[in-house]
Amino acid sequence: MYFAALLARTEDGWEASDTELDDVETLSDLADLAREASPDEDTVLVLIEQEDAWFGVVRVDGEEDPRIYVSDAAAAARSSYGEILLTDELLGRDPGDDGDDLDALDLDGTEDGESDDEDEDEDGADGGAASAGSGDAVPHGPVGDPEVLDDLGVSEKELRSMSGDAVGEIAEALGASEVLETVR
Protein backbone atom coordinates (compact mmCIF):
# COMPACT_ATOMS: atom_id res chain seq x y z
CA MET A 1 0.00 0.00 0.00
CA TYR A 2 1.27 3.43 -0.94
CA PHE A 3 0.87 6.85 0.57
CA ALA A 4 1.84 10.04 -1.21
CA ALA A 5 1.43 13.60 -0.01
CA LEU A 6 2.57 17.08 -0.93
CA LEU A 7 3.87 19.42 1.77
CA ALA A 8 4.12 23.02 0.59
CA ARG A 9 5.91 25.56 2.75
CA THR A 10 4.04 28.84 2.89
CA GLU A 11 4.30 32.06 4.91
CA ASP A 12 1.82 30.51 7.37
CA GLY A 13 3.68 27.20 7.75
CA TRP A 14 3.23 23.89 5.99
CA GLU A 15 0.16 22.97 3.95
CA ALA A 16 -0.50 19.34 3.11
CA SER A 17 -2.47 17.74 0.35
CA ASP A 18 -2.75 14.14 -0.63
CA THR A 19 -1.91 13.48 -4.19
CA GLU A 20 -2.87 10.92 -6.75
CA LEU A 21 0.13 9.67 -8.70
CA ASP A 22 -1.77 7.55 -11.23
CA ASP A 23 -1.32 10.15 -14.00
CA VAL A 24 2.33 10.82 -13.16
CA GLU A 25 4.67 9.00 -15.53
CA THR A 26 7.97 10.88 -15.19
CA LEU A 27 9.94 12.88 -12.68
CA SER A 28 9.15 15.97 -14.74
CA ASP A 29 5.40 15.28 -14.31
CA LEU A 30 5.92 14.90 -10.57
CA ALA A 31 7.88 18.15 -10.35
CA ASP A 32 5.14 19.97 -12.29
CA LEU A 33 2.53 18.57 -9.89
CA ALA A 34 4.58 19.84 -6.95
CA ARG A 35 5.01 23.29 -8.50
CA GLU A 36 1.23 23.55 -8.95
CA ALA A 37 0.85 23.09 -5.18
CA SER A 38 2.82 26.30 -4.54
CA PRO A 39 2.07 29.21 -6.86
CA ASP A 40 4.60 31.38 -4.96
CA GLU A 41 7.49 29.03 -5.87
CA ASP A 42 7.98 28.04 -2.25
CA THR A 43 9.54 24.74 -1.26
CA VAL A 44 7.32 21.73 -1.93
CA LEU A 45 8.09 18.23 -0.72
CA VAL A 46 6.58 15.16 -2.31
CA LEU A 47 6.64 12.35 0.24
CA ILE A 48 6.01 8.82 -0.98
CA GLU A 49 6.15 5.60 1.02
CA GLN A 50 5.31 1.98 0.47
CA GLU A 51 4.55 0.56 3.88
CA ASP A 52 7.84 -0.54 5.44
CA ALA A 53 9.61 -1.27 2.14
CA TRP A 54 10.90 2.19 1.08
CA PHE A 55 10.21 5.90 1.10
CA GLY A 56 11.16 8.77 -1.15
CA VAL A 57 11.45 12.53 -0.82
CA VAL A 58 11.32 14.83 -3.81
CA ARG A 59 12.07 18.47 -3.09
CA VAL A 60 11.07 21.15 -5.56
CA ASP A 61 12.24 24.73 -4.98
CA GLY A 62 10.66 26.94 -7.62
CA GLU A 63 12.02 26.20 -11.07
CA GLU A 64 15.17 24.44 -9.84
CA ASP A 65 15.70 20.79 -10.71
CA PRO A 66 14.07 18.46 -8.19
CA ARG A 67 16.26 16.97 -5.48
CA ILE A 68 15.54 13.33 -4.70
CA TYR A 69 16.26 10.88 -1.91
CA VAL A 70 15.11 7.24 -1.98
CA SER A 71 15.65 5.05 1.08
CA ASP A 72 16.04 1.74 -0.77
CA ALA A 73 16.55 1.87 -4.52
CA ALA A 74 16.16 -1.87 -5.07
CA ALA A 75 12.80 -1.95 -3.28
CA ALA A 76 11.65 1.21 -5.07
CA ALA A 77 12.63 -0.25 -8.45
CA ARG A 78 9.94 -2.90 -7.98
CA SER A 79 7.31 -0.16 -7.64
CA SER A 80 5.78 1.91 -10.42
CA TYR A 81 6.01 5.00 -8.19
CA GLY A 82 9.60 4.22 -7.29
CA GLU A 83 10.55 3.89 -10.95
CA ILE A 84 9.48 7.52 -11.45
CA LEU A 85 12.10 8.63 -8.91
CA LEU A 86 14.93 6.34 -10.03
CA THR A 87 16.24 8.38 -12.93
CA ASP A 88 19.40 7.46 -14.84
CA GLU A 89 21.14 10.43 -13.24
CA LEU A 90 20.15 9.35 -9.73
CA LEU A 91 21.45 5.83 -10.39
CA GLY A 92 24.66 7.07 -12.01
CA ARG A 93 23.80 5.73 -15.46
CA ASP A 94 24.28 7.41 -18.80
CA PRO A 95 20.89 8.73 -20.01
CA GLY A 96 19.22 6.30 -22.37
CA ASP A 97 21.45 3.40 -21.30
CA ASP A 98 18.87 0.73 -20.66
CA GLY A 99 21.44 -2.03 -20.64
CA ASP A 100 19.92 -3.49 -23.82
CA ASP A 101 23.19 -4.16 -25.57
CA LEU A 102 22.28 -6.36 -28.53
CA ASP A 103 25.59 -8.22 -28.27
CA ALA A 104 24.73 -9.24 -24.71
CA LEU A 105 21.25 -10.60 -25.49
CA ASP A 106 20.77 -14.35 -25.34
CA LEU A 107 18.80 -15.09 -28.50
CA ASP A 108 17.93 -18.74 -28.07
CA GLY A 109 15.02 -18.97 -30.54
CA THR A 110 12.27 -18.41 -27.96
CA GLU A 111 12.00 -14.65 -28.49
CA ASP A 112 9.24 -15.02 -31.10
CA GLY A 113 6.68 -15.96 -28.48
CA GLU A 114 7.63 -19.62 -28.25
CA SER A 115 7.71 -21.03 -24.76
CA ASP A 116 10.84 -22.64 -23.40
CA ASP A 117 9.52 -24.74 -20.50
CA GLU A 118 12.99 -25.47 -19.12
CA ASP A 119 13.78 -21.75 -18.68
CA GLU A 120 10.44 -21.09 -16.98
CA ASP A 121 11.10 -23.86 -14.48
CA GLU A 122 14.58 -22.54 -13.71
CA ASP A 123 13.50 -18.92 -13.35
CA GLY A 124 10.63 -19.59 -11.00
CA ALA A 125 7.58 -17.38 -10.52
CA ASP A 126 9.34 -14.04 -10.78
CA GLY A 127 11.78 -14.86 -13.56
CA GLY A 128 10.35 -12.10 -15.74
CA ALA A 129 10.77 -9.49 -13.03
CA ALA A 130 14.40 -10.43 -12.55
CA SER A 131 15.19 -9.80 -16.19
CA ALA A 132 13.68 -6.31 -16.27
CA GLY A 133 16.53 -3.83 -16.44
CA SER A 134 19.10 -6.56 -15.93
CA GLY A 135 21.78 -4.56 -17.71
CA ASP A 136 22.38 -2.33 -14.70
CA ALA A 137 21.65 -3.56 -11.22
CA VAL A 138 19.84 -1.11 -8.97
CA PRO A 139 21.72 -0.75 -5.69
CA HIS A 140 20.27 -1.91 -2.41
CA GLY A 141 20.06 0.92 0.06
CA PRO A 142 19.67 4.66 -0.26
CA VAL A 143 20.35 6.75 -3.36
CA GLY A 144 20.05 10.42 -4.09
CA ASP A 145 20.65 13.53 -2.01
CA PRO A 146 20.73 12.61 1.69
CA GLU A 147 21.02 16.32 2.55
CA VAL A 148 17.73 17.14 0.82
CA LEU A 149 16.14 18.18 4.14
CA ASP A 150 19.19 19.50 6.03
CA ASP A 151 18.14 23.15 5.97
CA LEU A 152 14.65 22.13 7.13
CA GLY A 153 15.92 20.42 10.27
CA VAL A 154 16.32 16.80 9.17
CA SER A 155 19.97 15.83 8.99
CA GLU A 156 21.48 13.26 6.64
CA LYS A 157 22.03 10.92 9.60
CA GLU A 158 18.40 11.22 10.71
CA LEU A 159 17.08 10.69 7.19
CA ARG A 160 19.22 7.58 6.64
CA SER A 161 18.11 6.07 9.96
CA MET A 162 14.37 6.42 9.30
CA SER A 163 12.22 3.36 8.78
CA GLY A 164 8.63 2.35 9.37
CA ASP A 165 6.57 5.55 9.23
CA ALA A 166 9.34 7.67 7.71
CA VAL A 167 6.86 10.12 6.18
CA GLY A 168 5.38 10.68 9.65
CA GLU A 169 8.85 11.12 11.14
CA ILE A 170 9.78 13.68 8.47
CA ALA A 171 6.53 15.59 9.02
CA GLU A 172 7.13 15.56 12.78
CA ALA A 173 10.65 16.96 12.35
CA LEU A 174 9.30 19.69 10.05
CA GLY A 175 6.52 20.60 12.47
CA ALA A 176 3.96 19.48 9.92
CA SER A 177 2.62 16.28 11.45
CA GLU A 178 -0.81 17.75 12.22
CA VAL A 179 -1.35 18.98 8.66
CA LEU A 180 -0.09 15.69 7.25
CA GLU A 181 -2.55 13.74 9.40
CA THR A 182 -5.43 15.67 7.81
CA VAL A 183 -4.67 14.03 4.46
CA ARG A 184 -3.80 10.52 5.67
Side-chain angles (χ1 to χ4, degrees), residues 128-145:
S131 66
S134 60
D136 289 315
V138 175
H140 289 275
V143 295
D145 182 356

Side-chain angles (χ1 to χ4, degrees), residues 54-144:
W54 67 276
F55 70 92
V57 178
V58 178
R59 179 178 177 159
V60 178
D61 293 301
E63 292 299 317
E64 292 181 28
D65 287 341
R67 294 170 58 194
I68 306 165
Y69 175 81
V70 176
S71 66
D72 186 337
R78 294 186 296 269
S79 153
S80 59
Y81 298 136
E83 287 179 345
I84 293 169
L85 306 180
L86 298 175
T87 63
D88 288 335
E89 181 180 346
L90 189 70
L91 296 173
R93 297 182 196 160
D94 292 330
D97 180 16
D98 295 334
D100 290 337
D101 184 0
L102 291 177
D103 295 333
L105 292 177
D106 179 18
L107 302 177
D108 62 0
T110 62
E111 59 276 353
D112 290 328
E114 299 170 20
S115 176
D116 186 349
D117 293 335
E118 290 176 22
D119 283 351
E120 287 178 17
D121 291 342
E122 289 173 20
D123 290 344
D126 65 343
S131 66
S134 60
D136 289 315
V138 175
H140 289 275
V143 295

Side-chain angles (χ1 to χ4, degrees), residues 33 52 58 61 80 85 91 115 137 141 146 158 164 167 172 179-180:
L33 182 70
D52 292 335
V58 178
D61 293 301
S80 59
L85 306 180
L91 296 173
S115 176
E158 290 171 311
V167 167
E172 179 75 31
V179 295
L180 181 68

Side-chain angles (χ1 to χ4, degrees), residues 7-47:
L7 285 179
R9 188 166 63 173
T10 67
E11 292 176 2
D12 301 325
W14 291 98
E15 291 182 7
S17 58
D18 60 344
T19 186
E20 197 57 48
L21 298 179
D22 292 342
D23 295 332
V24 174
E25 295 180 7
T26 66
L27 180 60
S28 180
D29 293 344
L30 187 61
D32 290 344
L33 182 70
R35 288 183 184 103
E36 290 172 13
S38 178
D40 297 330
E41 296 191 5
D42 292 319
T43 297
V44 178
L45 302 176
V46 181
L47 305 174

